[in-house]
Amino acid sequence: MLVLSQETTLPTLLLLGLLSFCCLAELPRFEHAAKPDGSLGFLVVGDWGRKGLYNQSHVALQMGIIGEKLDVDFVISTGDNFYDDGLTGVTDPAFHQSFSDIYIAPSLQKQWYTVLGNHDYRGNVEAQLSPTLTNMDSRWLCLRSFILNAGPEMAEIFFVDTTPFVTKYFTNPEEHVYDWKGILPRKNYIQNLLLEVEWGLRESAAKWKIVVGHHTIKSAGNHGNTDELNMLLLPILEAYDVDFYINGHDHCLEHISSTESRIQFLTSGGGSKAWKNNIKPWNPREMKFYYDGQGFMSVEITQTDVGVKFYDVFGNELHKWTTSKLFSTSM
């Protein structure tokens, strides 16, 4: 197995990694059918699991209303599913108190595709990955990393486990204890994940390519940019023409349109507790929208068009943006 050292550059890593593609295990794949008219819609919410507190229940209520209006097909969670320290095990009542008992609207009784956040790694990670939770609530689907073929062939959504990329969780965990079972040795885990993502994007024939991770790549919020993702993951996304990177982590709603690539950076981390008046300076040419409050996002996709909308805790539409493969407009 190739070992990733501190001196290994991304191009070198990928070049050497090409030699191991023949034996590389692919990311797990799932399929979700489009509606009869060929369209697809979903909601995105992140940083939510607080047993209904910090307006989580109010956000859930509006998600249900908007979800019914749009007839959404599924929901994406961008991580930090259970605060403050994940789940203690599969019998932890927080699963019901923060998920099953909160997102009760009929329109939200759809599949939830979920990634892990850094707070989830402070608990029992295997609990969130366990089929036991799915048996208790069939909506729940959580893996470290996987691919959703939505449409099919209309959109491929790559869910990436971003927490292990962040060095400070290993070198300076402060008072926190992280569950690194299945991650160590970390360098090998990251190397293999990057190769799996690169291979999946290379082989993708989807009209739209979307990547979902918990941590930010570009953000003017409290946490700001994640340097490790900018160095290791972003070049892969740019090389294979990814359309959207969707994340949580910063407790805000945000849309950054990069001047350096076609990627749109969308933050939906307002599922419960938000950080008021916490925004860093950003290039106004790139910053299309920033809201320092609670809310969520919707995405509607066809073969030729994608529409993104952000909503606040009252269900008000705050920002919308549409694009096609021929042109894009900001509204």
Side-chain angles (χ1 to χ4, degrees):
M1 179 178 291
L2 179 66
V3 177
L4 176 64
S5 70
Q6 290 296 118
E7 293 76 22
T8 305
T9 65
L10 180 63
T12 301
L13 170 64
L14 295 180
L15 178 62
L16 294 174
L18 289 173
L19 301 176
S20 59
F21 274 149
C22 60
C23 56
L24 184 68
E26 291 189 30
L27 293 173
R29 287 181 176 269
F30 301 87
E31 287 195 0
H32 202 115
K35 297 182 181 68
D37 66 0
S39 67
L40 192 74
F42 57 91
L43 301 180
V44 184
V45 65
D47 304 82
W48 42 267
R50 297 183 185 272
K51 302 178 182 177
L53 300 178
Y54 295 96
N55 285 338
Q56 183 194 359
S57 294
H58 295 290
V59 173
L61 174 64
Q62 297 303 327
M63 287 175 62
I65 294 171
I66 299 299
E68 181 176 1
K69 178 181 177 182
L70 301 180
D71 188 20
V72 296
D73 298 284
F74 55 86
V75 180
I76 286 176
S77 169
T78 58
D80 278 1
N81 308 311
F82 302 99
Y83 283 95
D84 281 323
D85 299 313
L87 295 178
T88 59
V90 295
T91 60
D92 191 332
F95 178 71
H96 296 286
Q97 295 166 346
S98 290
F99 178 62
S100 297
D101 298 342
I102 301 297
Y103 301 102
I104 58 176
S107 67
L108 303 181
Q109 306 308 303
K110 309 288 177 65
Q111 192 72 66
W112 282 56
Y113 297 103
T114 306
V115 292
L116 299 167
N118 52 297
H119 282 268
D120 300 311
Y121 264 97
R122 295 176 188 175
N124 184 331
V125 170
E126 293 297 326
Q128 290 198 47
L129 304 178
S130 172
T132 299
L133 296 189
T134 305
N135 291 335
M136 290 191 291
D137 192 322
S138 61
R139 296 176 294 171
W140 186 259
L141 192 157
C142 181
L143 289 82
R144 295 186 194 271
S145 300
F146 60 100
I147 300 171
L148 176 62
N149 188 355
E153 298 301 330
M154 184 165 60
E156 277 197 323
I157 307 175
F158 293 73
F159 293 78
V160 179
D161 184 20
T162 60
T163 299
F165 283 83
V166 182
T167 301
K168 70 179 181 180
Y169 299 144
F170 294 84
T171 61
N172 186 26
E174 299 177 334
E175 74 277 11
H176 306 300
V177 177
Y178 292 87
D179 179 7
W180 297 129
K181 291 191 299 294
I183 299 299
L184 304 177
R186 175 189 172 218
K187 292 177 180 179
N188 290 348
Y189 181 84
I190 293 174
Q191 168 212 319
N192 289 336
L193 178 53
L194 288 171
L195 292 174
E196 289 166 347
V197 171
E198 199 272 350
W199 180 251
L201 288 170
R202 173 195 292 268
E203 295 298 301
S204 176
K207 301 293 191 303
W208 302 97
K209 298 178 185 178
I210 301 170
V211 176
V212 175
H214 176 66
H215 288 78
T216 59
I217 289 182
K218 294 183 182 292
S219 174
N222 178 68
H223 291 300
N225 298 349
T226 304
D227 292 339
E228 295 89 343
L229 295 183
N230 273 272
M231 180 177 66
L232 295 173
L233 182 61
L234 179 58
I236 298 175
L237 309 191
E238 291 176 334
Y240 293 97
D241 296 321
V242 167
D243 298 286
F244 304 96
Y245 178 75
I246 300 174
N247 61 270
H249 198 45
D250 270 339
H251 295 190
C252 63
L253 306 175
E254 181 179 23
H255 174 198
I256 291 175
S257 184
S258 175
T259 58
E260 300 175 351
S261 70
R262 62 181 292 177
I263 301 174
Q264 305 298 315
F265 297 91
L266 305 170
T267 298
S268 184
S272 57
K273 188 176 183 179
W275 299 323
K276 193 70 176 176
N277 299 321
N278 198 332
I279 179 172
K280 298 178 175 69
W282 199 273
N283 180 353
R285 291 178 56 202
E286 293 191 335
M287 182 59 70
K288 303 302 181 184
F289 168 70
Y290 188 95
Y291 178 66
D292 57 352
Q294 293 121 339
F296 59 99
M297 183 176 80
S298 71
V299 180
E300 295 179 275
I301 303 178
T302 69
Q303 292 284 351
T304 58
D305 300 282
V306 172
V308 174
K309 295 180 181 179
F310 289 89
Y311 307 86
D312 67 12
V313 68
F314 304 106
N316 298 315
E317 185 181 299
L318 303 177
H319 172 73
K320 65 179 179 180
W321 184 86
T322 61
T323 187
S324 74
K325 290 298 183 179
L326 299 178
F327 63 90
S328 63
T329 60
S330 184
M331 301 181 183

